[in-house]
Amino acid sequence: MTAAENRTETGVAGRPYHLLAIETSCDETSAAVVRNGREVLSNLVSSQIDTHRQFGGVVPEIASRKHVESITVILEEAIRASGVALHQIDAVAVTQGPGLVGALLVGVVAAKGLAMALDVPLIGTHHIAGHIYANRLIGEMVYPSMALVVSGGHTELVLLEREGSFRIVGRTRDDAVGEAYDKVARALKFPYPGGPHVDRLAQEAAEAIELPRAWLEPDSYDFSFSGLKSAVLAEINRAGMKGEALNIPALARGFQESVVDVVTGKAMKAAREFGVRQMLLCGGVAANRGLRDKLTRLCEEAGLPLLIPPLKLCTDNAAMIAAAADLKWRRGEFTPLDMKADPQMSLEAWSVKETEASRL
Ligand code: KG4
Ligand code: ZN
């Protein structure tokens, strides 16, 4: 019997199991080795931020080329640093989508090659499931739970009725939160990625310029940030035309307060409506001080447990991909070797298969 057929929740025929994971969906090349689905033995991330900064955002062609340059070294280093021998790797997980197609392809090709060479199963994994399951690397997840996913490419409220089941109850209709932060930061002449600069200014500001909040329809959990972004640009233009000095920290704080009010407000409302037992915050923007503080306070007031991964597990990394792939590993749901990178991959369709036992 192969290791894959012998797997259990606690190991492969009594011994621990190891997933090797690869993430290349955007501008980070990452590889990780995770033991028993939760113990991170290594998690290497090579960021391309310095390369893309000069262009003010991620250039897909350059991202793919950089992944090709880094992937072998990052993989070798992740395996070496984990202390695990190649023959102890039980499955290879890789981000299949969503993401930049050329970037995803680099990881997918490497993962297929490794799975074939090591003769172990391949697990094509959803990037957002990875962001959500980063939380399982730091704490116990309970169900039903509500995940607020905020990153440079995604803004979603995801209901997890059971382990590994994903239902999107709200999503952005235009920009992702991180994208809005980066665009506002750019208008204020900060380098890419601008989110952390706006966050810092907002913390330092003594006052806030009041900006609109996009609540949309009363029963909607969707988001929209394009109106807010336009309001910020209008403030900048207004000051410029009048020759007035712009209060940049007050504008940053006004922008941040509007974003944080709306995303936390909708997350708490959804948590109440769906009667969840836990809130999860994840994605690169989970690093935002204002967002973490407010969501922490609201969850405390509501008596709702909250998990937020540490910074290095919030931004793109391969350990989170292993954490999500573990859902499939434990159920024996593997991906054929002829799978393709899927830039538009559906999170809901990636949910684990519903079994008789899980439906009870
Ligand atoms: O999850 P992530 O690393 O990459 C994607 O999958 O998109 O998120 C990166 C995004 C960038 O837009 C960056 O500006 C934003 O997260 N970000 C922040 C903060 N730190 C990172 N946005 C607001 N405040 C922060 N402190
Ligand atoms: Zn991401």
Side-chain angles (χ1 to χ4, degrees), residues 52 177 183 202 215 227 243 260 269 296 305:
H52 295 289
V177 181
K183 287 179 180 169
W215 291 107
V260 169
K269 183 163 175 260
T296 303

Side-chain angles (χ1 to χ4, degrees), residues 21-23 28-33 40-47 70-82 312 316-319:
I22 302 173
E23 151 68 40
E28 261 96 31
T29 317
S30 181
V33 177
V40 181
L41 301 183
S42 64
N43 188 20
L44 267 91
V45 181
S46 161
S47 173
S70 317
I71 187 81
T72 315
V73 178
I74 289 289
L75 267 168
E76 280 172 2
E77 188 55 23
I79 294 166
R80 195 198 57 75
S82 73
K312 62 179 194 303
D316 291 349
N317 68 90

Side-chain angles (χ1 to χ4, degrees), residues 23 25-28 127-128 131 150-154 177-182 192-200 256 282-289 311 314-317 320:
E23 151 68 40
S25 68
C26 190
D27 59 345
E28 261 96 31
H127 182 77
I128 299 300
H131 275 302
V150 279
S151 77
H154 296 267
V177 181
E179 199 179 351
Y181 264 94
D182 292 340
Y192 173 83
H197 296 283
V198 176
D199 188 15
R200 181 178 38 78
Q256 177 139 314
C282 52
V285 187
N288 186 275
R289 200 66 264 165
L311 200 54
C314 280
T315 48
D316 291 349
N317 68 90
M320 73 182 195

